[in-house]
Amino acid sequence: MTAASAGADLVQVALPVPLRQLFDYRVPAGTMVPEPGCRVRVPFGRRTLTGVVLARTARSDLPPERLKNLAAIVDRQPLLAPADLAMLTWIADYYLHPVGEVCAAALPVLLRGDKPPREAEDRRWHLTTAGRERLAAGAGRAPLQFRLLAALAENDAGLDAAALRLLSPRWRTALDALVRDDCVAMAPLPEAYRGLREDPPAATPGQAEAIAAIGQSHGFRCHLVHGITGSGKTEIYLRCIERVLAQGRQCLVLVPEIALTPQLESRFRNRFDAVIDVLHSGLTETQRLQAWQRAAGGRSAVVIGTRSAVFVPLARPGLVILDEEHDPSYKQQEGFRYHARDVAIKRASLAGIPVVLGSATPSLESYHNALQGRFQLTQLHERPTRAGLPAVHLLDLAHLPVEHGISRPLRDAIGACRARGEQSLLFLNRRGFAPAIYCPACGWLAHCPRCDARLTWHRAADRLRCHHCGHVGSRPRQCPQCGEPEVISLGQGTENIHDTLQQLFPGAVIERIDRDTTRRRGELEQRLTRVHAGEAEILVGTQMLSKGHDFPGVTLVGIVDCDQLLFSADFRASERLFQLVTQVAGRCGRAERPGTVLIQTRFPQSPWLQPVIRHDYAAFADMALAERQAADYPPYTHLALLRAEAAGRNVALAFLEAMHRLAQELAVTTPSVEVMEPLPSLMEKRAGRYRAQLLVQSRQRAPLHQFLARWRGAIEASRRSRTVRWSLDVDPVDLY
DNA sequence: AGCACGCCGACT
DNA sequence: GTCGGCGTGCTC
């Protein structure tokens, strides 16, 4: 770092404001020029903000008299390395999002302010020989120093800041004095990786092939590991991580949700004697800061995290793994709408390291990339345990006796399963007791006053709830429209299925797992523990059950209603159906016993169900890809979606119509970009606001991006954009 | 996003 | 007569 010369030194600063630009500031003469990656305090309008220096520069487009001086430099050393800044700049450009907000999103909350990083808590101090002598000499004029010495003498491994703080809030000054006198020194930090704790099991041929392929890649390469549920993808991750750790480098492992971190963490801890950190929204801000600092400082070996952890800096990056890569929760659905999978791939390419995407049901985008040779594909078709894949059967609801959503064969199968002392799992993607309340006399249905949606009756709470906004109402005694003395409930939710099963199997222990029964912290874990302990005989639950958790005792899986997935407006519906059923089916028969999956449907002839029955991902993907190609949908085209919402009906739509005209003018120079007509959203009214959307499509990425950049600029400049709430979603995942 | 400036309604 | 509504303009 050099001191600024007379007035020629400028820095470009990313500020947390929704403006897609950098701001230039003068470095006062005589002060050190902050390096890129350092935070600075700057005057901005009438306030002072904290931003990140992205670059040094000698000249600015702005006239010199309008440039202001930096108010202060927060960090002496950069918080973010040049590679991190390059990644963040790329993301800001790709998603057309303000780079200052992207930078802010990449920093822990405690580093977004103007405070320099706090002492890393894993730093420890221990006694030196001189310290021992001072202690032996007895207490002198400095009683606190003596107490610190005594405490440190009892702990050979040393004490950290938290432990010393317990001795006295004024520990810092006393410790500094002791360090100056060489009585206390910083204890060496533990090595990030110290070796294996257990011998890895022998790899199956499929695993060995994947491990070798990933291990052979020098520099950037994207690997897609497609392994059927239970085929041992985690073991592949462990072996690849082991190789990278042995080289003294770090690994970043991403999972779609917090609930999956504990089991992965414990498997990693059993295998590796290493510093392993988790990073997700369930931590306190202080914990997040510490994990972030350990990763950035190279003091951790493995970081396991959810979506936002894709931004955590690593001093020595060696490998990125993204488990369950098909999971839509990798896409942030509001504000800064990035996709962690795509960011992870870009990040690995910038860092020149391999990235591994794993899934039993890869997204069609990734699978297509693999077929095109852009990703390297490894497939695992076998389970290492003796259990084979479950047998899948369809139950035709139209031609079978059905009671409260449970058909006779499903009921009998559950009974037989119980009789064998095994567990069964029923999947229904619908919470509550009944999804509709209906008047048999006049046809009235209970609607949400703020959304275009029906209200769901939650019987335990005796409330009508809207699952799209926070609305809660009570069930009317009589029909509010015609006065009919009794309204009835229609359809089944998990609460209802739970009840029905309890009636069919009196005395059975049934565990319901959905957002309603696992709202409080630790409740999910508690219920899962009861299931694993074998206390529960039947499990009923929603989507939550499909994600990652293994239930070795479950030998029967029932999909109560797959038709809602079969007929959905979303062009990804068939993909979701295959993924969901395969993932739920994968929960069973993992141990020695084979499993059975029963799918209830009114459309057993649907071609989409055939590959599900045969566990044939390739056949499903061929069908789905052909359909996507015919309809000009991803992965054959790229999409962007302009969404808008406003309090008044048609305000958002009128805005989009104006933006549509604007887009058509702009698209003249990018003819490969197709701008669709704006449409009201599928659920037009939601939480009291009216929504609409406009789809843009192109076969080629580059012209689309070029168009979007100009279009977004024009939208921002238009006065109308201030009358609605709008967002531009690059690569949208949900199209409604 | 904030935060100012700038013109038109109901009130300490 | 003011306090304050949110339209619109700007931030290196």
Side-chain angles (χ1 to χ4, degrees), chain A residues 369-399:
Chain A
N369 276 326
L371 294 180
Q372 299 288 305
R374 282 190 287 271
F375 295 178
Q376 184 160 344
L377 179 65
T378 307
Q379 293 186 294
L380 306 174
H381 297 292
E382 277 157 28
R383 290 179 162 190
T385 58
R386 258 176 287 159
L389 282 168
V392 184
H393 304 286
L394 300 179
L395 300 178
D396 185 351
L397 284 178
H399 297 99

mmCIF file of all heavy atoms in Angstrom, chain A residues 369-399:
data_model
loop_
_atom_site.group_PDB
_atom_site.id
_atom_site.type_symbol
_atom_site.label_atom_id
_atom_site.label_comp_id
_atom_site.label_asym_id
_atom_site.label_seq_id
_atom_site.Cartn_x
_atom_site.Cartn_y
_atom_site.Cartn_z
ATOM 1 N N ASN A 369 -26.668 -30.281 -20.249
ATOM 2 C CA ASN A 369 -25.273 -29.853 -20.311
ATOM 3 C C ASN A 369 -24.334 -31.052 -20.338
ATOM 4 O O ASN A 369 -23.309 -31.029 -21.023
ATOM 5 C CB ASN A 369 -24.925 -28.964 -19.109
ATOM 6 C CG ASN A 369 -25.307 -27.515 -19.354
ATOM 7 O OD1 ASN A 369 -25.232 -27.033 -20.479
ATOM 8 N ND2 ASN A 369 -25.728 -26.823 -18.307
ATOM 9 N N ALA A 370 -24.688 -32.095 -19.582
ATOM 10 C CA ALA A 370 -23.856 -33.298 -19.566
ATOM 11 C C ALA A 370 -23.925 -34.004 -20.922
ATOM 12 O O ALA A 370 -22.900 -34.429 -21.464
ATOM 13 C CB ALA A 370 -24.306 -34.233 -18.448
ATOM 14 N N LEU A 371 -25.137 -34.102 -21.485
ATOM 15 C CA LEU A 371 -25.277 -34.761 -22.792
ATOM 16 C C LEU A 371 -24.510 -33.999 -23.873
ATOM 17 O O LEU A 371 -23.992 -34.588 -24.811
ATOM 18 C CB LEU A 371 -26.755 -34.855 -23.190
ATOM 19 C CG LEU A 371 -27.639 -35.754 -22.318
ATOM 20 C CD1 LEU A 371 -29.081 -35.740 -22.829
ATOM 21 C CD2 LEU A 371 -27.103 -37.183 -22.261
ATOM 22 N N GLN A 372 -24.438 -32.683 -23.708
ATOM 23 C CA GLN A 372 -23.725 -31.858 -24.681
ATOM 24 C C GLN A 372 -22.213 -31.879 -24.466
ATOM 25 O O GLN A 372 -21.476 -31.255 -25.211
ATOM 26 C CB GLN A 372 -24.190 -30.397 -24.571
ATOM 27 C CG GLN A 372 -25.672 -30.180 -24.844
ATOM 28 C CD GLN A 372 -26.007 -30.340 -26.301
ATOM 29 O OE1 GLN A 372 -25.422 -29.686 -27.142
ATOM 30 N NE2 GLN A 372 -26.921 -31.246 -26.600
ATOM 31 N N GLY A 373 -21.788 -32.529 -23.388
ATOM 32 C CA GLY A 373 -20.360 -32.618 -23.116
ATOM 33 C C GLY A 373 -19.795 -31.445 -22.337
ATOM 34 O O GLY A 373 -18.596 -31.383 -22.072
ATOM 35 N N ARG A 374 -20.656 -30.506 -21.956
ATOM 36 C CA ARG A 374 -20.146 -29.374 -21.176
ATOM 37 C C ARG A 374 -19.861 -29.799 -19.740
ATOM 38 O O ARG A 374 -18.957 -29.277 -19.105
ATOM 39 C CB ARG A 374 -21.151 -28.218 -21.201
ATOM 40 C CG ARG A 374 -21.117 -27.428 -22.496
ATOM 41 C CD ARG A 374 -21.946 -26.163 -22.379
ATOM 42 N NE ARG A 374 -23.367 -26.462 -22.383
ATOM 43 C CZ ARG A 374 -24.113 -26.552 -23.493
ATOM 44 N NH1 ARG A 374 -23.560 -26.351 -24.663
ATOM 45 N NH2 ARG A 374 -25.388 -26.827 -23.415
ATOM 46 N N PHE A 375 -20.660 -30.728 -19.226
ATOM 47 C CA PHE A 375 -20.412 -31.301 -17.907
ATOM 48 C C PHE A 375 -19.966 -32.747 -18.107
ATOM 49 O O PHE A 375 -20.381 -33.392 -19.068
ATOM 50 C CB PHE A 375 -21.684 -31.337 -17.045
ATOM 51 C CG PHE A 375 -22.254 -29.995 -16.663
ATOM 52 C CD1 PHE A 375 -23.430 -29.932 -15.924
ATOM 53 C CD2 PHE A 375 -21.638 -28.794 -17.017
ATOM 54 C CE1 PHE A 375 -23.979 -28.715 -15.561
ATOM 55 C CE2 PHE A 375 -22.185 -27.565 -16.659
ATOM 56 C CZ PHE A 375 -23.367 -27.526 -15.927
ATOM 57 N N GLN A 376 -19.149 -33.213 -17.181
ATOM 58 C CA GLN A 376 -18.778 -34.632 -17.247
ATOM 59 C C GLN A 376 -19.763 -35.438 -16.415
ATOM 60 O O GLN A 376 -19.978 -35.153 -15.240
ATOM 61 C CB GLN A 376 -17.356 -34.821 -16.734
ATOM 62 C CG GLN A 376 -16.920 -36.269 -16.878
ATOM 63 C CD GLN A 376 -15.417 -36.409 -16.855
ATOM 64 O OE1 GLN A 376 -14.684 -35.437 -17.022
ATOM 65 N NE2 GLN A 376 -14.963 -37.634 -16.631
ATOM 66 N N LEU A 377 -20.359 -36.442 -17.036
ATOM 67 C CA LEU A 377 -21.421 -37.210 -16.387
ATOM 68 C C LEU A 377 -20.903 -38.518 -15.826
ATOM 69 O O LEU A 377 -20.182 -39.257 -16.495
ATOM 70 C CB LEU A 377 -22.532 -37.484 -17.407
ATOM 71 C CG LEU A 377 -23.736 -38.294 -16.924
ATOM 72 C CD1 LEU A 377 -24.512 -37.534 -15.860
ATOM 73 C CD2 LEU A 377 -24.650 -38.636 -18.094
ATOM 74 N N THR A 378 -21.250 -38.804 -14.566
ATOM 75 C CA THR A 378 -21.004 -40.121 -13.990
ATOM 76 C C THR A 378 -22.335 -40.634 -13.474
ATOM 77 O O THR A 378 -23.057 -39.898 -12.811
ATOM 78 C CB THR A 378 -20.034 -40.053 -12.798
ATOM 79 O OG1 THR A 378 -18.850 -39.371 -13.213
ATOM 80 C CG2 THR A 378 -19.670 -41.438 -12.323
ATOM 81 N N GLN A 379 -22.668 -41.874 -13.800
ATOM 82 C CA GLN A 379 -23.937 -42.414 -13.339
ATOM 83 C C GLN A 379 -23.710 -43.613 -12.443
ATOM 84 O O GLN A 379 -22.866 -44.472 -12.726
ATOM 85 C CB GLN A 379 -24.815 -42.783 -14.532
ATOM 86 C CG GLN A 379 -25.223 -41.528 -15.296
ATOM 87 C CD GLN A 379 -26.206 -41.797 -16.396
ATOM 88 O OE1 GLN A 379 -25.881 -42.466 -17.365
ATOM 89 N NE2 GLN A 379 -27.410 -41.273 -16.246
ATOM 90 N N LEU A 380 -24.466 -43.647 -11.341
ATOM 91 C CA LEU A 380 -24.403 -44.784 -10.419
ATOM 92 C C LEU A 380 -25.757 -45.462 -10.463
ATOM 93 O O LEU A 380 -26.765 -44.861 -10.105
ATOM 94 C CB LEU A 380 -24.119 -44.309 -8.991
ATOM 95 C CG LEU A 380 -22.888 -43.431 -8.777
ATOM 96 C CD1 LEU A 380 -22.849 -42.944 -7.336
ATOM 97 C CD2 LEU A 380 -21.635 -44.210 -9.090
ATOM 98 N N HIS A 381 -25.771 -46.708 -10.901
ATOM 99 C CA HIS A 381 -27.048 -47.389 -11.064
ATOM 100 C C HIS A 381 -27.318 -48.398 -9.959
ATOM 101 O O HIS A 381 -28.352 -49.044 -9.948
ATOM 102 C CB HIS A 381 -27.095 -48.105 -12.417
ATOM 103 C CG HIS A 381 -26.995 -47.152 -13.571
ATOM 104 N ND1 HIS A 381 -27.993 -46.261 -13.856
ATOM 105 C CD2 HIS A 381 -26.017 -46.930 -14.470
ATOM 106 C CE1 HIS A 381 -27.643 -45.538 -14.918
ATOM 107 N NE2 HIS A 381 -26.434 -45.924 -15.299
ATOM 108 N N GLU A 382 -26.357 -48.574 -9.051
ATOM 109 C CA GLU A 382 -26.547 -49.598 -8.034
ATOM 110 C C GLU A 382 -26.421 -49.049 -6.633
ATOM 111 O O GLU A 382 -25.709 -48.084 -6.389
ATOM 112 C CB GLU A 382 -25.510 -50.713 -8.221
ATOM 113 C CG GLU A 382 -25.925 -51.711 -9.271
ATOM 114 C CD GLU A 382 -24.732 -52.447 -9.842
ATOM 115 O OE1 GLU A 382 -23.731 -52.593 -9.114
ATOM 116 O OE2 GLU A 382 -24.821 -52.862 -11.012
ATOM 117 N N ARG A 383 -27.129 -49.726 -5.738
ATOM 118 C CA ARG A 383 -27.002 -49.394 -4.326
ATOM 119 C C ARG A 383 -25.968 -50.323 -3.711
ATOM 120 O O ARG A 383 -25.973 -51.527 -3.997
ATOM 121 C CB ARG A 383 -28.343 -49.589 -3.614
ATOM 122 C CG ARG A 383 -29.377 -48.555 -4.008
ATOM 123 C CD ARG A 383 -30.683 -48.806 -3.283
ATOM 124 N NE ARG A 383 -31.524 -47.611 -3.319
ATOM 125 C CZ ARG A 383 -32.625 -47.453 -2.616
ATOM 126 N NH1 ARG A 383 -33.032 -48.403 -1.795
ATOM 127 N NH2 ARG A 383 -33.327 -46.349 -2.682
ATOM 128 N N PRO A 384 -25.089 -49.796 -2.857
ATOM 129 C CA PRO A 384 -24.085 -50.658 -2.244
ATOM 130 C C PRO A 384 -24.698 -51.655 -1.264
ATOM 131 O O PRO A 384 -24.149 -52.729 -1.050
ATOM 132 C CB PRO A 384 -23.136 -49.694 -1.526
ATOM 133 C CG PRO A 384 -23.680 -48.327 -1.701
ATOM 134 C CD PRO A 384 -24.942 -48.401 -2.474
ATOM 135 N N THR A 385 -25.853 -51.321 -0.659
ATOM 136 C CA THR A 385 -26.487 -52.273 0.257
ATOM 137 C C THR A 385 -27.221 -53.315 -0.568
ATOM 138 O O THR A 385 -27.403 -53.177 -1.762
ATOM 139 C CB THR A 385 -27.500 -51.567 1.175
ATOM 140 O OG1 THR A 385 -28.462 -50.929 0.347
ATOM 141 C CG2 THR A 385 -26.817 -50.562 2.058
ATOM 142 N N ARG A 386 -27.692 -54.339 0.109
ATOM 143 C CA ARG A 386 -28.304 -55.435 -0.619
ATOM 144 C C ARG A 386 -29.713 -55.088 -1.128
ATOM 145 O O ARG A 386 -30.208 -55.687 -2.055
ATOM 146 C CB ARG A 386 -28.355 -56.696 0.255
ATOM 147 C CG ARG A 386 -27.254 -57.679 -0.122
ATOM 148 C CD ARG A 386 -27.274 -58.858 0.816
ATOM 149 N NE ARG A 386 -26.755 -58.503 2.141
ATOM 150 C CZ ARG A 386 -27.032 -59.197 3.226
ATOM 151 N NH1 ARG A 386 -27.840 -60.224 3.182
ATOM 152 N NH2 ARG A 386 -26.505 -58.838 4.375
ATOM 153 N N ALA A 387 -30.337 -54.090 -0.472
ATOM 154 C CA ALA A 387 -31.700 -53.746 -0.877
ATOM 155 C C ALA A 387 -31.718 -53.208 -2.304
ATOM 156 O O ALA A 387 -30.917 -52.357 -2.660
ATOM 157 C CB ALA A 387 -32.269 -52.701 0.071
ATOM 158 N N GLY A 388 -32.636 -53.704 -3.080
ATOM 159 C CA GLY A 388 -32.780 -53.193 -4.443
ATOM 160 C C GLY A 388 -33.643 -51.954 -4.422
ATOM 161 O O GLY A 388 -33.998 -51.434 -3.368
ATOM 162 N N LEU A 389 -33.974 -51.478 -5.607
ATOM 163 C CA LEU A 389 -34.870 -50.334 -5.679
ATOM 164 C C LEU A 389 -36.285 -50.804 -5.374
ATOM 165 O O LEU A 389 -36.638 -51.944 -5.655
ATOM 166 C CB LEU A 389 -34.812 -49.721 -7.075
ATOM 167 C CG LEU A 389 -33.578 -48.861 -7.325
ATOM 168 C CD1 LEU A 389 -33.447 -48.536 -8.799
ATOM 169 C CD2 LEU A 389 -33.640 -47.591 -6.494
ATOM 170 N N PRO A 390 -37.105 -49.937 -4.799
ATOM 171 C CA PRO A 390 -38.467 -50.351 -4.460
ATOM 172 C C PRO A 390 -39.288 -50.633 -5.723
ATOM 173 O O PRO A 390 -39.061 -50.039 -6.770
ATOM 174 C CB PRO A 390 -39.030 -49.144 -3.703
ATOM 175 C CG PRO A 390 -38.168 -47.993 -4.111
ATOM 176 C CD PRO A 390 -36.823 -48.556 -4.373
ATOM 177 N N ALA A 391 -40.237 -51.545 -5.571
ATOM 178 C CA ALA A 391 -41.177 -51.801 -6.664
ATOM 179 C C ALA A 391 -42.246 -50.720 -6.623
ATOM 180 O O ALA A 391 -42.767 -50.402 -5.561
ATOM 181 C CB ALA A 391 -41.811 -53.171 -6.478
ATOM 182 N N VAL A 392 -42.546 -50.126 -7.777
ATOM 183 C CA VAL A 392 -43.519 -49.039 -7.822
ATOM 184 C C VAL A 392 -44.785 -49.509 -8.540
ATOM 185 O O VAL A 392 -44.712 -50.078 -9.630
ATOM 186 C CB VAL A 392 -42.935 -47.809 -8.551
ATOM 187 C CG1 VAL A 392 -43.912 -46.647 -8.522
ATOM 188 C CG2 VAL A 392 -41.600 -47.402 -7.933
ATOM 189 N N HIS A 393 -45.932 -49.295 -7.904
ATOM 190 C CA HIS A 393 -47.214 -49.672 -8.514
ATOM 191 C C HIS A 393 -48.151 -48.484 -8.518
ATOM 192 O O HIS A 393 -48.138 -47.664 -7.602
ATOM 193 C CB HIS A 393 -47.867 -50.816 -7.731
ATOM 194 C CG HIS A 393 -47.002 -52.021 -7.604
ATOM 195 N ND1 HIS A 393 -46.759 -52.879 -8.648
ATOM 196 C CD2 HIS A 393 -46.289 -52.495 -6.547
ATOM 197 C CE1 HIS A 393 -45.949 -53.844 -8.244
ATOM 198 N NE2 HIS A 393 -45.638 -53.632 -6.970
ATOM 199 N N LEU A 394 -48.996 -48.439 -9.552
ATOM 200 C CA LEU A 394 -50.004 -47.386 -9.624
ATOM 201 C C LEU A 394 -51.329 -47.927 -9.099
ATOM 202 O O LEU A 394 -51.684 -49.074 -9.375
ATOM 203 C CB LEU A 394 -50.178 -46.918 -11.077
ATOM 204 C CG LEU A 394 -48.936 -46.356 -11.759
ATOM 205 C CD1 LEU A 394 -49.255 -45.957 -13.194
ATOM 206 C CD2 LEU A 394 -48.397 -45.161 -10.983
ATOM 207 N N LEU A 395 -52.055 -47.095 -8.353
ATOM 208 C CA LEU A 395 -53.390 -47.474 -7.897
ATOM 209 C C LEU A 395 -54.381 -46.533 -8.566
ATOM 210 O O LEU A 395 -54.323 -45.317 -8.358
ATOM 211 C CB LEU A 395 -53.480 -47.360 -6.372
ATOM 212 C CG LEU A 395 -52.505 -48.243 -5.580
ATOM 213 C CD1 LEU A 395 -52.663 -47.990 -4.089
ATOM 214 C CD2 LEU A 395 -52.729 -49.713 -5.903
ATOM 215 N N ASP A 396 -55.284 -47.086 -9.348
ATOM 216 C CA ASP A 396 -56.226 -46.292 -10.131
ATOM 217 C C ASP A 396 -57.397 -45.856 -9.249
ATOM 218 O O ASP A 396 -58.312 -46.629 -8.967
ATOM 219 C CB ASP A 396 -56.716 -47.135 -11.311
ATOM 220 C CG ASP A 396 -57.597 -46.334 -12.233
ATOM 221 O OD1 ASP A 396 -57.956 -45.188 -11.875
ATOM 222 O OD2 ASP A 396 -57.922 -46.849 -13.313
ATOM 223 N N LEU A 397 -57.368 -44.619 -8.830
ATOM 224 C CA LEU A 397 -58.385 -44.118 -7.904
ATOM 225 C C LEU A 397 -59.789 -44.174 -8.503
ATOM 226 O O LEU A 397 -60.775 -44.240 -7.774
ATOM 227 C CB LEU A 397 -58.064 -42.672 -7.497
ATOM 228 C CG LEU A 397 -56.931 -42.480 -6.486
ATOM 229 C CD1 LEU A 397 -56.705 -41.004 -6.224
ATOM 230 C CD2 LEU A 397 -57.236 -43.200 -5.178
ATOM 231 N N ALA A 398 -59.863 -44.135 -9.835
ATOM 232 C CA ALA A 398 -61.182 -44.121 -10.470
ATOM 233 C C ALA A 398 -61.862 -45.489 -10.382
ATOM 234 O O ALA A 398 -63.077 -45.589 -10.509
ATOM 235 C CB ALA A 398 -61.046 -43.692 -11.933
ATOM 236 N N HIS A 399 -61.081 -46.538 -10.171
ATOM 237 C CA HIS A 399 -61.668 -47.872 -10.197
ATOM 238 C C HIS A 399 -61.406 -48.665 -8.921
ATOM 239 O O HIS A 399 -61.412 -49.896 -8.935
ATOM 240 C CB HIS A 399 -61.143 -48.654 -11.414
ATOM 241 C CG HIS A 399 -61.520 -48.027 -12.715
ATOM 242 N ND1 HIS A 399 -60.664 -47.231 -13.430
ATOM 243 C CD2 HIS A 399 -62.693 -48.040 -13.395
ATOM 244 C CE1 HIS A 399 -61.284 -46.787 -14.513
ATOM 245 N NE2 HIS A 399 -62.515 -47.254 -14.516
#
